Amino acid sequence: MSEALYDLVIIGGGPGGYVAAIRAAQLGLKTACVEGRGTLGGTCLNVGCMPSKALLNSSEKFVDAQKHFAEHGIKGSVELDLETMLGRKDKVVEDLTKGVEFLLKKNKVDYVKGWGSIPKVGEVLVKGDDGEQTLKTKDILIATGSESTPLPGIETDEEQIVTSTGALSLKKVPEHMVVIGAGVIGLELGSVWSRLGAQVTVVEFLDKILPGIDEETGKLAKRVLGKQGLKFKLGMKVTAADKVDGKVKLTMESVKKGKVEELEVDTVLVSIGRRAYTSGLGLEELGVAMERGVIQVDGNFKTSVDGIYAIGDCVPGPMLAHKAEEDGVACVETLAGQKGHVNYELVPGVVYTHPEIATVGKSEEALKEAGVAYNVGKFPFSANSRARAMGESDGQVKILSDATSDKVLGVHIIGPAAGELLSEAVAVMEFGGSAEDIARTCHSHPGLSEAVKEAALAVDKRAIHM
Ligand code: FAD
Ligand code: NAI
């Protein structure tokens, strides 16, 4: 058993933990990052953001080659080599996780392999393959992330009945896949397997997809994804999934009328949300306040116990990698005597379907509910020359601004590269900018970003190309 004295020991090497570790080291704190899964990068790099984006990209290329190249005058048939596609995804993950290991080394952060727990304030006990060690430290930062929320009565095996992790590595394309939950994971991974040839049915408890998103944008998304072949069963709940003769028999029930339906499918993806992963840390014994496993923190990410902090998916707020990173930076900057801050009003959200769906700020429904008077400017990608040249004219940009001050309150984009386009809106909103500020900014031509400018012009009813 060895001992070391650190300023900060971080438990969890995901985007929250490893980014916090690098920033802490930059600020001169002697830092260790404890990670149990064997590779750094957390859910995001190993079984989340990055493998899903690799497969989204590969499957989009497959659809392009199969269905869209011909209209560009490029002929020839293509076939799917799933093993190579999955292998490429694994290589992307391997390279990225190794990259994070290199970054920790470069910043002189000690990467400690093993599962951490907190026997008492100021100590982290790490159980690794090579035995146990206790790290003595001034402060502890918990960044242990989240896991899939299970659906009671439905047991996942990561082969036939899978969480997102299994859905990233299916050995063959299912004939029929049912996705339970029309949230971000359901739509992204449902899209992947639908593009590769599966019939995909998305079963959602509510009567809409992507709950919480600006409703018009959600409806447009449903229409576009429906055109691509995704089938939606809304207002339905799955009550049982039984494995019978190599298939899964699903029983579901309509929420309003209780009408029962059965479906026999090859694969079921359970994607009904994620929950904080905080078990095994010893938090109950230490008296760290939690609500349903979610660690409660103050404005400086301090838990109810002095010397213990928490960030990312295991604390309240959106479960997004960039939010976890912002939390991590703000937390350690505060620990180092600076003034860390995160603006939770402006955390962007992007669904990486095709087209992408990207939103920031308030939805129209939220503004109505809050009684805020607003103006709306919309511009369709069908009227954007670059989108037309690309053959990507589905979707629109929608800007909501305050009726009196013109301050931008929300931006909702569905369309090509929506996630990248959104960054302009986020920056303008961070500076408290107006729709007029965007409208008066020179945007290069021909560019997709001209649709953002035109939507800003449309707020004042003076769009040019519509
Ligand atoms: P995590 O990334 O979950 O990292 C926590 C780490 O802590 C894990 O590696 C875990 O092994 C480790 N750990 C836990 N307990 C211990 C312990 N006791 N000792 C040592 N180590 C421990 N977000 C986006 O912003 N964009 C996306 O495109 C996106 N796509 C996603 C796709 C999928 C399929 C999934 C599942 C998630 C996706 N997310 C996405 C969400 C994103 O992955 C999370 O929000 C993000 O990873 C949270 O970061 P974190 O550092 O808080 O936790
Ligand atoms: P989610 O919260 O996005 O969606 C879950 C959906 O399941 C909701 O629509 C909900 O109404 C529905 N649901 C809940 N219980 C149900 C039931 N019993 N039957 C049918 N439907 C039910 O959760 P998801 O998709 O699992 O993703 C988890 C988190 O991962 C997201 O909240 C997001 O933060 C993160 N993520 C982010 C991505 C991105 O930023 N691009 C990509 C993937 C995940």
Side-chain angles (χ1 to χ4, degrees), residues 52-53 151 180-186 188 203-206 208-211 236-238 270-274 318-320 322 349-352:
S52 61
K53 264 80 254 175
L151 186 53
I180 310 179
V184 198
I185 291 180
E188 287 188 357
V203 180
E204 165 62 47
F205 184 80
L206 299 172
K208 58 185 167 193
I209 69 167
L210 296 171
M236 297 289 283
K237 64 177 178 191
V238 173
V270 181
S271 49
I272 60 161
R274 293 181 64 81
M319 290 183 160
L320 295 171
H322 41 283
V350 181
V351 189
Y352 293 86

Side-chain angles (χ1 to χ4, degrees), residues 397-408:
V397 178
K398 172 173 169 180
I399 297 182
L400 306 170
S401 77
D402 187 277
T404 313
S405 67
D406 193 37
K407 185 177 169 181
V408 180

Side-chain angles (χ1 to χ4, degrees), residues 12 15-16 35-37 42-44 48-49 53 116 143-145 313 319-322:
E35 171 56 61
R37 72 165 70 230
T43 302
C44 180
C49 324
K53 264 80 254 175
T144 48
D313 277 12
M319 290 183 160
L320 295 171
H322 41 283

Side-chain angles (χ1 to χ4, degrees), residues 10-19 33-53 56 112-118 124-127 142-148 163-165 167-168 184-186 188-189 273-274 277-282 311-315 318-325 327 347-352:
I10 300 171
I11 308 180
Y18 88 74
V19 169
C33 183
V34 180
E35 171 56 61
R37 72 165 70 230
T39 49
L40 289 162
T43 302
C44 180
L45 268 63
N46 289 281
V47 288
C49 324
M50 298 325 304
S52 61
K53 264 80 254 175
L56 278 157
V112 183
K113 291 188 182 176
W115 296 99
S117 60
I118 311 175
V124 172
L125 173 69
V126 185
K127 290 185 186 169
I142 302 168
T144 48
S146 62
E147 61 180 355
S148 293
T163 66
S164 53
T165 301
L168 291 166
V184 198
I185 291 180
E188 287 188 357
L189 294 180
R274 293 181 64 81
Y277 181 70
T278 51
S279 54
L281 290 166
I311 55 158
D313 277 12
C314 64
V315 303
M319 290 183 160
L320 295 171
H322 41 283
K323 180 267 185 186
E325 293 181 16
D327 279 1
V347 177
V350 181
V351 189
Y352 293 86

Side-chain angles (χ1 to χ4, degrees), residues 296-325:
Q296 303 300 299
V297 287
D298 67 11
N300 289 327
F301 306 94
K302 192 177 86 59
T303 67
S304 58
V305 174
D306 286 348
I308 303 182
Y309 297 78
I311 55 158
D313 277 12
C314 64
V315 303
M319 290 183 160
L320 295 171
H322 41 283
K323 180 267 185 186
E325 293 181 16

Side-chain angles (χ1 to χ4, degrees), residues 119-132:
K120 63 179 186 186
V121 172
E123 280 187 10
V124 172
L125 173 69
V126 185
K127 290 185 186 169
D129 290 344
D130 306 331
E132 290 184 10

